[in-house]
Amino acid sequence: MNVYDDFFKNISPEEWEFFAIDFLADNGFSIINYPSRGIDGGSDGIVKYNNITYIVSCKHYFNSGKSIGTDTEQSILDRVYQHNANGFIGFYSTLLSSSLQNRLNQLENKINILIYDKNIISDYLPRISSFILHKYGLPNQFKYVLNVSKEEYEPLNCLVCNRDILDDNNISFSMALITRNNNNELEYLYGCKKCIGNYFDIGWCEINQVLHLEQLNGWIYYVNDLIKNNKVSYQFYKNKNDFESRLQQKVYPSNWGRWLPL
Ligand SMILES: [Zn+2]
Protein backbone atom coordinates (compact mmCIF):
# COMPACT_ATOMS: atom_id res chain seq x y z
CA MET A 1 0.00 0.00 0.00
CA ASN A 2 1.43 3.31 -1.15
CA VAL A 3 0.84 6.25 1.22
CA TYR A 4 -0.37 8.23 -1.77
CA ASP A 5 -3.00 5.71 -2.92
CA ASP A 6 -5.83 7.89 -1.63
CA PHE A 7 -4.35 10.87 -3.38
CA PHE A 8 -4.30 9.03 -6.72
CA LYS A 9 -7.72 7.52 -6.17
CA ASN A 10 -9.45 10.82 -5.58
CA ILE A 11 -8.20 12.59 -8.68
CA SER A 12 -10.64 12.45 -11.61
CA PRO A 13 -9.28 11.60 -15.09
CA GLU A 14 -9.83 15.20 -16.16
CA GLU A 15 -8.02 16.59 -13.11
CA TRP A 16 -5.22 14.10 -13.74
CA GLU A 17 -4.23 15.99 -16.91
CA PHE A 18 -4.02 19.30 -15.06
CA PHE A 19 -2.22 17.67 -12.17
CA ALA A 20 0.35 16.35 -14.67
CA ILE A 21 1.02 19.84 -16.00
CA ASP A 22 1.25 21.38 -12.51
CA PHE A 23 3.53 18.53 -11.42
CA LEU A 24 5.84 19.04 -14.40
CA ALA A 25 5.86 22.82 -13.93
CA ASP A 26 6.84 22.32 -10.30
CA ASN A 27 9.72 20.16 -11.53
CA GLY A 28 11.11 22.83 -13.83
CA PHE A 29 9.24 22.34 -17.10
CA SER A 30 7.81 25.39 -18.90
CA ILE A 31 4.20 25.07 -19.90
CA ILE A 32 3.57 25.63 -23.62
CA ASN A 33 0.00 24.33 -23.81
CA TYR A 34 -2.48 23.30 -21.16
CA PRO A 35 -4.69 20.28 -21.71
CA SER A 36 -7.60 21.10 -24.01
CA ARG A 37 -10.97 19.51 -24.24
CA GLY A 38 -12.32 17.83 -27.36
CA ILE A 39 -10.24 16.43 -30.17
CA ASP A 40 -6.72 17.15 -29.03
CA GLY A 41 -4.81 14.98 -31.44
CA GLY A 42 -3.52 12.94 -28.56
CA SER A 43 -1.81 15.58 -26.47
CA ASP A 44 -2.87 16.43 -22.96
CA GLY A 45 -0.57 19.42 -22.85
CA ILE A 46 2.81 20.51 -24.15
CA VAL A 47 5.80 21.37 -22.00
CA LYS A 48 9.38 22.34 -22.62
CA TYR A 49 12.64 21.67 -20.80
CA ASN A 50 16.21 22.27 -21.97
CA ASN A 51 15.02 23.17 -25.47
CA ILE A 52 13.15 19.91 -25.85
CA THR A 53 9.42 20.19 -26.49
CA TYR A 54 7.40 17.34 -25.06
CA ILE A 55 3.84 16.32 -25.67
CA VAL A 56 2.30 14.98 -22.49
CA SER A 57 0.13 11.90 -22.59
CA CYS A 58 -1.87 11.31 -19.41
CA LYS A 59 -3.53 8.04 -18.50
CA HIS A 60 -5.31 7.67 -15.22
CA TYR A 61 -6.32 4.04 -14.72
CA PHE A 62 -5.55 3.94 -11.04
CA ASN A 63 -8.98 2.70 -10.04
CA SER A 64 -8.92 -0.25 -12.44
CA GLY A 65 -5.22 -0.83 -11.88
CA LYS A 66 -4.79 -1.51 -15.60
CA SER A 67 -1.24 -1.05 -16.83
CA ILE A 68 -0.58 1.12 -19.87
CA GLY A 69 0.11 -0.88 -23.01
CA THR A 70 0.55 -0.28 -26.72
CA ASP A 71 -3.24 -0.65 -27.13
CA THR A 72 -3.91 2.55 -25.16
CA GLU A 73 -0.76 4.44 -26.07
CA GLN A 74 -0.88 4.42 -29.89
CA SER A 75 1.03 6.20 -32.69
CA ILE A 76 3.39 7.99 -30.33
CA LEU A 77 5.72 9.21 -33.04
CA ASP A 78 2.91 10.66 -35.19
CA ARG A 79 1.50 12.56 -32.25
CA VAL A 80 4.88 14.02 -31.34
CA TYR A 81 5.57 15.20 -34.90
CA GLN A 82 2.02 16.50 -35.33
CA HIS A 83 2.68 18.97 -32.50
CA ASN A 84 6.14 19.91 -33.80
CA ALA A 85 7.61 18.40 -30.69
CA ASN A 86 10.67 16.23 -30.19
CA GLY A 87 9.82 14.65 -26.90
CA PHE A 88 7.17 12.48 -25.28
CA ILE A 89 6.10 12.33 -21.65
CA GLY A 90 3.90 9.51 -20.42
CA PHE A 91 2.21 10.44 -17.16
CA TYR A 92 0.48 7.40 -15.71
CA SER A 93 -1.14 6.58 -12.38
CA THR A 94 -0.44 2.88 -13.01
CA LEU A 95 2.57 1.07 -14.46
CA LEU A 96 3.70 0.33 -18.03
CA SER A 97 3.23 -3.00 -19.75
CA SER A 98 6.36 -4.61 -21.14
CA SER A 99 4.96 -4.19 -24.67
CA LEU A 100 4.88 -0.42 -24.24
CA GLN A 101 8.30 -0.42 -22.61
CA ASN A 102 9.68 -2.29 -25.64
CA ARG A 103 8.00 0.13 -28.02
CA LEU A 104 9.46 3.12 -26.17
CA ASN A 105 12.92 1.59 -26.25
CA GLN A 106 12.65 1.43 -30.05
CA LEU A 107 11.69 5.11 -30.25
CA GLU A 108 14.43 6.34 -28.00
CA ASN A 109 16.86 7.18 -30.80
CA LYS A 110 14.20 9.28 -32.58
CA ILE A 111 12.64 11.32 -29.76
CA ASN A 112 13.25 12.11 -26.09
CA ILE A 113 11.10 10.02 -23.82
CA LEU A 114 10.28 10.53 -20.17
CA ILE A 115 7.95 8.27 -18.25
CA TYR A 116 6.34 9.19 -14.94
CA ASP A 117 4.50 6.13 -13.70
CA LYS A 118 2.81 5.63 -10.37
CA ASN A 119 6.04 4.68 -8.57
CA ILE A 120 8.07 7.53 -9.98
CA ILE A 121 5.35 10.11 -9.28
CA SER A 122 5.10 8.79 -5.71
CA ASP A 123 8.84 9.32 -5.29
CA TYR A 124 8.49 12.91 -6.42
CA LEU A 125 5.41 13.80 -4.39
CA PRO A 126 7.24 14.49 -1.10
CA ARG A 127 9.28 17.14 -2.88
CA ILE A 128 6.61 18.98 -4.81
CA SER A 129 4.93 21.96 -3.25
CA SER A 130 2.14 21.09 -0.86
CA PHE A 131 0.10 23.72 -2.67
CA ILE A 132 -0.31 21.21 -5.49
CA LEU A 133 -1.21 18.42 -3.12
CA HIS A 134 -3.82 20.67 -1.57
CA LYS A 135 -5.16 21.66 -4.95
CA TYR A 136 -5.72 18.09 -6.10
CA GLY A 137 -5.78 15.97 -3.05
CA LEU A 138 -6.92 17.52 0.12
CA PRO A 139 -9.76 20.01 -0.19
CA ASN A 140 -12.64 17.58 -0.68
CA GLN A 141 -11.47 14.99 1.77
CA PHE A 142 -9.52 16.79 4.45
CA LYS A 143 -7.47 19.89 4.38
CA TYR A 144 -5.62 19.12 7.58
CA VAL A 145 -4.53 15.92 9.17
CA LEU A 146 -5.13 14.74 12.73
CA ASN A 147 -2.36 12.55 14.09
CA VAL A 148 -4.21 11.49 17.25
CA SER A 149 -7.69 10.11 17.83
CA LYS A 150 -10.52 12.60 18.34
CA GLU A 151 -10.79 11.53 21.99
CA GLU A 152 -7.12 12.19 22.69
CA TYR A 153 -7.05 15.51 20.92
CA GLU A 154 -6.16 18.52 23.09
CA PRO A 155 -7.05 21.99 21.80
CA LEU A 156 -4.54 24.81 21.64
CA ASN A 157 -6.55 27.76 22.81
CA CYS A 158 -5.80 31.33 21.84
CA LEU A 159 -4.18 32.93 24.90
CA VAL A 160 -6.48 35.93 24.51
CA CYS A 161 -9.95 34.71 23.45
CA ASN A 162 -9.63 30.98 24.18
CA ARG A 163 -10.65 29.84 20.70
CA ASP A 164 -8.96 26.60 19.54
CA ILE A 165 -6.43 27.79 16.98
CA LEU A 166 -5.87 24.21 15.75
CA ASP A 167 -9.50 23.91 14.70
CA ASP A 168 -9.53 23.48 10.89
CA ASN A 169 -11.55 26.66 10.51
CA ASN A 170 -9.14 28.76 12.59
CA ILE A 171 -5.73 27.53 11.46
CA SER A 172 -5.43 30.04 8.60
CA PHE A 173 -6.14 32.90 10.98
CA SER A 174 -3.70 31.97 13.72
CA MET A 175 -0.06 32.48 14.61
CA ALA A 176 2.59 32.35 17.30
CA LEU A 177 5.09 35.06 18.17
CA ILE A 178 7.83 36.04 20.56
CA THR A 179 7.62 39.43 22.16
CA ARG A 180 9.25 41.26 25.07
CA ASN A 181 7.40 42.18 28.27
CA ASN A 182 7.94 45.24 30.48
CA ASN A 183 10.68 43.41 32.41
CA ASN A 184 12.58 42.90 29.16
CA GLU A 185 11.83 39.18 29.29
CA LEU A 186 10.74 37.14 26.29
CA GLU A 187 7.10 36.08 26.13
CA TYR A 188 5.87 33.19 23.99
CA LEU A 189 2.39 33.90 22.64
CA TYR A 190 0.03 32.02 20.35
CA GLY A 191 -3.48 32.82 19.24
CA CYS A 192 -5.68 34.38 16.58
CA LYS A 193 -3.94 36.91 14.36
CA LYS A 194 -6.55 39.45 15.32
CA CYS A 195 -5.92 38.83 19.03
CA ILE A 196 -2.12 38.91 19.10
CA GLY A 197 -1.11 40.15 15.64
CA ASN A 198 -0.64 43.71 16.85
CA TYR A 199 2.01 42.89 19.41
CA PHE A 200 5.49 44.08 18.64
CA ASP A 201 7.26 40.85 17.78
CA ILE A 202 10.84 39.65 17.66
CA GLY A 203 9.82 36.69 15.54
CA TRP A 204 6.58 35.06 14.45
CA CYS A 205 5.15 32.15 12.47
CA GLU A 206 1.82 31.28 10.93
CA ILE A 207 0.14 28.06 12.01
CA ASN A 208 -0.35 27.01 8.36
CA GLN A 209 3.39 27.29 7.94
CA VAL A 210 4.57 25.40 11.01
CA LEU A 211 2.23 22.49 10.30
CA HIS A 212 5.01 21.50 7.91
CA LEU A 213 7.67 19.72 9.87
CA GLU A 214 10.67 21.45 8.34
CA GLN A 215 9.07 24.82 9.08
CA LEU A 216 8.24 23.80 12.63
CA ASN A 217 11.83 22.70 13.16
CA GLY A 218 13.05 26.02 11.79
CA TRP A 219 10.79 27.87 14.22
CA ILE A 220 11.94 25.76 17.17
CA TYR A 221 15.60 26.37 16.33
CA TYR A 222 14.93 30.06 15.98
CA VAL A 223 13.24 30.29 19.38
CA ASN A 224 15.89 28.16 21.08
CA ASP A 225 18.49 30.50 19.74
CA LEU A 226 16.69 33.52 21.19
CA ILE A 227 16.48 31.88 24.61
CA LYS A 228 20.27 31.56 24.83
CA ASN A 229 20.84 35.29 25.09
CA ASN A 230 17.65 36.49 26.75
CA LYS A 231 15.72 36.19 29.97
CA VAL A 232 12.32 34.59 29.58
CA SER A 233 9.06 35.12 31.46
CA TYR A 234 7.89 32.49 33.89
CA GLN A 235 5.06 31.51 31.48
CA PHE A 236 7.43 31.18 28.56
CA TYR A 237 8.27 27.48 28.78
CA LYS A 238 4.73 26.41 29.54
CA ASN A 239 3.49 28.24 26.46
CA LYS A 240 6.35 26.94 24.36
CA ASN A 241 5.74 23.35 25.44
CA ASP A 242 1.97 23.56 24.98
CA PHE A 243 2.42 25.05 21.55
CA GLU A 244 5.02 22.59 20.31
CA SER A 245 3.38 19.48 21.72
CA ARG A 246 -0.20 20.28 20.71
CA LEU A 247 0.78 21.46 17.28
CA GLN A 248 2.26 17.98 16.65
CA GLN A 249 -1.29 16.67 16.63
CA LYS A 250 -1.85 18.34 13.28
CA VAL A 251 1.59 18.43 11.71
CA TYR A 252 1.62 16.97 8.20
CA PRO A 253 3.43 13.67 7.77
CA SER A 254 7.03 14.29 6.74
CA ASN A 255 6.32 12.77 3.30
CA TRP A 256 3.55 15.21 2.56
CA GLY A 257 5.14 17.96 0.46
CA ARG A 258 7.01 21.05 1.47
CA TRP A 259 5.62 24.43 2.40
CA LEU A 260 5.91 27.20 -0.17
CA PRO A 261 5.05 30.79 0.67
CA LEU A 262 2.65 31.98 -2.04
ZN1 LIG B 1 -8.13 34.82 19.86
Side-chain angles (χ1 to χ4, degrees):
M1 177 91 173
N2 179 311
V3 292
Y4 292 112
D5 277 3
D6 279 343
F7 179 76
F8 287 114
K9 196 167 74 188
N10 291 317
I11 297 184
S12 71
E14 195 168 82
E15 282 176 325
W16 182 253
E17 298 179 6
F18 286 92
F19 168 65
I21 299 299
D22 280 345
F23 175 98
L24 294 169
D26 199 60
N27 281 291
F29 291 82
S30 315
I31 302 168
I32 308 298
N33 273 341
Y34 278 95
S36 52
R37 300 276 73 81
I39 302 164
D40 59 6
S43 154
D44 301 324
I46 297 175
V47 297
K48 198 167 182 172
Y49 187 78
N50 268 349
N51 284 326
I52 299 166
T53 304
Y54 296 88
I55 68 162
V56 183
S57 178
C58 302
K59 309 281 180 206
H60 187 33
Y61 296 158
F62 183 82
N63 287 316
S64 70
K66 184 174 176 289
S67 61
I68 310 301
T70 44
D71 53 335
T72 39
E73 200 64 281
Q74 294 177 353
S75 22
I76 292 171
L77 213 49
D78 291 346
R79 285 152 59 202
V80 169
Y81 291 153
Q82 184 191 338
H83 290 92
N84 294 320
N86 50 355
F88 173 87
I89 292 178
F91 198 87
Y92 311 137
S93 60
T94 52
L95 302 177
L96 277 73
S97 73
S98 50
S99 68
L100 180 57
Q101 187 61 62
N102 291 338
R103 178 78 188 117
L104 294 174
N105 291 345
Q106 292 162 8
L107 296 177
E108 232 159 15
N109 56 0
K110 298 195 175 76
I111 53 172
N112 294 280
I113 295 172
L114 291 173
I115 296 298
Y116 294 88
D117 67 12
K118 182 196 166 194
N119 289 340
I120 296 170
I121 296 167
S122 298
D123 287 344
Y124 273 89
L125 284 181
R127 300 198 295 272
I128 71 170
S129 79
S130 54
F131 166 72
I132 294 177
L133 296 177
H134 277 252
K135 186 171 168 187
Y136 294 97
L138 292 172
N140 301 327
Q141 288 71 41
F142 51 90
K143 193 170 177 198
Y144 299 105
V145 297
L146 185 60
N147 300 315
V148 294
S149 69
K150 279 195 174 124
E151 295 72 37
E152 289 172 308
Y153 173 77
E154 288 189 89
L156 182 66
N157 295 329
C158 169
L159 292 170
V160 177
C161 75
N162 232 24
R163 186 177 296 162
D164 178 14
I165 62 172
L166 292 182
D167 183 287
D168 288 1
N169 297 315
N170 299 336
I171 284 175
S172 297
F173 307 103
S174 302
M175 66 187 301
L177 62 82
I178 308 295
T179 187
R180 226 179 264 284
N181 66 19
N182 293 335
N183 299 325
N184 206 26
E185 298 163 337
L186 299 183
E187 293 276 7
Y188 197 113
L189 302 180
Y190 50 81
C192 321
K193 290 178 186 171
K194 69 176 170 51
C195 290
I196 64 166
N198 288 333
Y199 279 82
F200 170 79
D201 68 85
I202 301 169
W204 60 279
C205 64
E206 293 192 51
I207 304 306
N208 258 332
Q209 172 189 356
V210 289
L211 288 180
H212 295 270
L213 204 53
E214 85 284 359
Q215 292 291 319
L216 176 60
N217 287 336
W219 170 248
I220 291 172
Y221 282 129
Y222 174 76
V223 173
N224 287 345
D225 228 37
L226 281 178
I227 298 171
K228 283 181 200 158
N229 302 312
N230 289 280
K231 283 191 190 139
V232 300
S233 75
Y234 103 109
Q235 275 285 331
F236 187 95
Y237 282 105
K238 180 184 186 321
N239 291 352
K240 180 178 190 290
N241 289 340
D242 284 350
F243 182 80
E244 289 173 6
S245 62
R246 293 183 188 185
L247 195 79
Q248 296 285 350
Q249 300 174 106
K250 304 205 81 163
V251 164
Y252 292 111
S254 56
N255 55 6
W256 194 246
R258 67 197 150 81
W259 180 78
L260 279 190
L262 295 175

